[in-house]
Amino acid sequence: MSELFDRLTHLFEQGHAAPSPDLLSDERFADLDRTADAAVLIAVTDRKDPTVLLTQRPRTMRDHPGQVAFPGGKLDDGECAVDAALREAWEELGIEREHVRVIGTTDRYQTGTGFDITPVLATVPHDLPIRPDPREVESWFEAPLSLLMRPENWQENEVFWKGAMRRYYEMDHEGYRIWGVTAAICINLSRRLAWTG
């Protein structure tokens, strides 16, 4: 058994035992004429100082071009969020399903661009071979879980968007700008997961 998997599972169950009233969402900005269910994989590497696998989307992508993202995408017909997240991790990074230990699904996040995203928390081996698909991944990197789970590491900003002020979070990590949907999912998870490390 994995000590990290057990620890994350315990914290995950504790953090989801009661409702959280202060979760982020862009539901009020959502385009109801263009909605799709989606899922992402929050893949935590099983090492002494765990990291999270992140990708940078190609600038040619229709949705969120050039942005840092978790592996993920739209659900296919008949798929659940876990199956979609695992399939997308395979398609984008070559992560085989049998190497992923799923902990559970966390709070859905509705984007202003019409996606209803279910994040799936899981652990993966630290020495997992990564084979990015250049059609879906411009580059990939790892960010420390402790960095992403500490609210004080995030800078809060506001922008006028779709007729209203929108609050968002961001941080720079080794030349990558982590913001938008990915940042919001991290912030929401940090409000559920009392990670110290």
Side-chain angles (χ1 to χ4, degrees), residues 18-173:
S20 180
D22 59 348
L23 297 173
L24 303 176
S25 175
D26 275 335
E27 184 176 1
R28 66 188 176 121
F29 296 107
D31 181 356
L32 298 178
D33 293 328
R34 181 177 176 256
T35 59
D37 290 331
V40 297
L41 185 69
I42 305 174
V44 182
T45 62
D46 195 346
R47 64 175 90 226
K48 182 180 176 184
D49 295 315
T51 59
V52 176
L53 298 178
L54 292 164
T55 69
Q56 183 168 33
R57 294 167 61 83
R59 286 162 176 78
T60 54
M61 299 287 274
R62 174 182 171 184
D63 295 302
H64 307 280
Q67 290 189 16
V68 168
F70 296 107
K74 295 178 187 176
L75 272 63
D76 286 345
D77 289 342
E79 262 187 334
C80 69
V82 171
D83 286 341
L86 294 176
R87 175 181 52 76
E88 289 284 350
W90 163 251
E91 291 175 1
E92 293 182 19
L93 295 175
I95 298 174
E96 296 181 10
R97 178 182 289 254
E98 56 264 30
H99 293 309
V100 182
R101 296 190 69 192
V102 174
I103 293 167
T105 59
T106 186
D107 302 285
R108 290 164 44 202
Y109 183 84
Q110 190 151 6
T111 74
T113 52
F115 292 97
D116 194 342
I117 302 173
T118 300
V120 178
L121 182 65
T123 61
V124 295
H126 68 88
D127 56 353
L128 196 65
I130 301 295
R131 297 180 301 277
D133 181 341
R135 295 168 299 178
E136 299 195 65
V137 177
E138 184 172 298
S139 61
W140 70 276
F141 64 101
E142 299 179 34
L145 179 64
S146 58
L147 176 77
L148 300 177
M149 292 297 105
R150 289 189 186 130
E152 65 270 19
N153 292 333
W154 294 94
Q155 180 181 346
E156 185 177 348
N157 294 309
E158 279 192 327
V159 66
F160 189 75
W161 189 54
K162 290 190 174 183
M165 293 304 295
R166 176 184 181 258
R167 180 178 52 155
Y168 68 95
Y169 292 85
E170 67 178 318
M171 76 162 66
D172 288 318
H173 175 66

